[in-house]
Amino acid sequence: MRLTGINIYPVKSTRPIALTESEVLPRGLPWDRRWMLIDSEARFVTARQHPPLAMIDTALGTDTLNISVAGRAELRIPLAEPAAPSIPVTVWKDRCQAVPAGAAADAWFSDYLGMPVRLVRMTDQLVRPVNPDYGQPADQVSFADGFPLLLICEASLQDLNRRLASPVPMQRFRPNLVVEGGQPYGEDRWRRLRVGEVEFEGVKNCSRCVFTTIDPRTGVKDADGEPLRTLARYRRREGGGVFFGQNLIPRSRGSIRLGDSVQILE
């Protein structure tokens, strides 16, 4: 098996940036989900409720994160960490700290969504712990839903697409790592693996939601609820949840590159 995709999503719910290589840090890939939108109650805002977010592109410049969408002027946010004090924010049931990105960013996103929002950032000094039921005491995560990385095998998507009237791209599932080879859904059972020089622990299969039904090209939800409806027919488990992909926590530091071998250790 080998690594065929590396993706980061600097602003939660926006389109990915595809990489050829990346360092791996304790909380995941550099710049992945380091920014997030919040509402007037400081709760996270995602494309689940506001699908147009899924159409926003991001790009890493020399010293700025460049944010763009068709028909609007580009927004540039400094990569240097802001000096503003942190504020409490909520991601799902987690309460953590974040630093406001500034009035210009707030105005750009508020105007685009047609509602008041703020853009906040997780700086290197701020730590959001992983759910202790699945991780170790020192494990941390960015503004991702729950874990540092998500991995999906190409074989799993191919099996799903054979069941769909209209195939969907891997982008619907927003993985950080994509792997070629192996059996469909084999990643469900991976507990320890090595990608290139970095070891990971597989800690929890990924429960999927309505986000998978949003076409990132158009920002429109599928009228038939696909591919979630088809997944629910054969990937629903007792106790609830429809699962696709494996959440990972890094267990070593290093770099990964497209073409790296993927070895299952346990």
Side-chain angles (χ1 to χ4, degrees):
M1 296 184 290
R2 66 187 185 94
L3 186 66
T4 54
I6 305 172
N7 302 297
I8 59 171
Y9 309 79
V11 181
K12 189 175 178 68
S13 276
T14 60
R15 288 174 174 170
I17 298 175
L19 306 176
T20 57
E21 61 182 309
S22 178
E23 185 182 3
V24 178
L25 304 175
R27 70 177 75 178
L29 305 182
W31 306 116
D32 186 47
R33 276 94 165 190
R34 296 304 198 270
W35 288 265
M36 173 181 76
L37 291 172
I38 58 172
D39 62 16
S40 58
E41 297 180 348
R43 289 193 59 84
F44 73 134
V45 172
T46 76
R48 295 172 180 87
Q49 299 80 27
H50 305 281
L53 277 176
M55 298 174 64
I56 294 176
D57 287 303
T58 60
L60 290 168
T62 303
D63 53 11
T64 59
L65 175 68
N66 305 327
I67 300 171
S68 61
V69 71
R72 304 185 63 83
E74 185 179 69
L75 171 68
R76 296 192 175 190
I77 301 171
L79 292 177
E81 296 189 347
S86 65
I87 61 173
V89 300
T90 302
V91 187
W92 294 112
K93 295 180 180 180
D94 292 349
R95 193 77 164 162
C96 59
Q97 294 289 312
V99 176
D106 297 347
W108 193 95
F109 281 100
S110 296
D111 186 57
Y112 176 65
L113 290 180
M115 60 176 284
V117 293
R118 300 180 72 185
L119 185 70
V120 296
R121 175 173 176 178
M122 181 176 286
T123 60
D124 290 344
Q125 291 72 36
L126 301 177
V127 175
R128 176 185 167 213
V130 165
N131 185 332
D133 291 343
Y134 298 98
Q136 300 174 8
D139 290 339
Q140 57 182 284
V141 61
S142 63
F143 291 134
D145 281 350
F147 300 95
L149 298 101
L150 172 65
L151 178 150
I152 298 177
C153 286
E154 291 182 4
S156 303
L157 180 65
Q158 291 164 2
D159 181 81
L160 168 61
N161 278 334
R162 283 193 288 268
R163 304 166 188 262
L164 294 172
S166 298
V168 297
M170 185 67 82
Q171 190 177 346
R172 286 286 187 105
F173 300 97
R174 304 176 67 78
N176 296 107
L177 306 181
V178 179
V179 172
E180 177 188 71
Q183 298 298 313
Y185 317 109
E187 64 268 34
D188 289 356
R189 300 177 295 277
W190 296 353
R191 294 296 169 256
R192 294 192 71 89
L193 62 147
R194 182 183 295 114
V195 180
E197 62 186 31
V198 183
E199 290 193 13
F200 299 89
E201 182 180 0
V203 292
K204 183 179 182 294
N205 293 172
C206 185
S207 179
R208 310 316 305 227
C209 68
V210 69
F211 202 161
T212 62
T213 69
I214 298 171
D215 187 337
R217 299 167 299 177
T218 63
V220 175
K221 290 183 180 179
D222 186 271
D224 296 322
E226 294 292 12
L228 192 60
R229 186 173 71 169
T230 293
L231 276 172
R233 292 175 183 151
Y234 72 107
R235 295 288 294 172
R236 186 181 296 279
R237 296 183 185 166
E238 185 177 351
V242 176
F243 294 87
F244 193 80
Q246 176 72 286
N247 288 299
L248 305 178
I249 297 176
R251 290 298 176 224
S252 67
R253 297 282 292 266
S255 296
I256 55 175
R257 299 167 184 81
L258 294 183
D260 276 353
S261 66
V262 177
Q263 298 175 298
I264 308 310
L265 307 177
E266 182 180 336

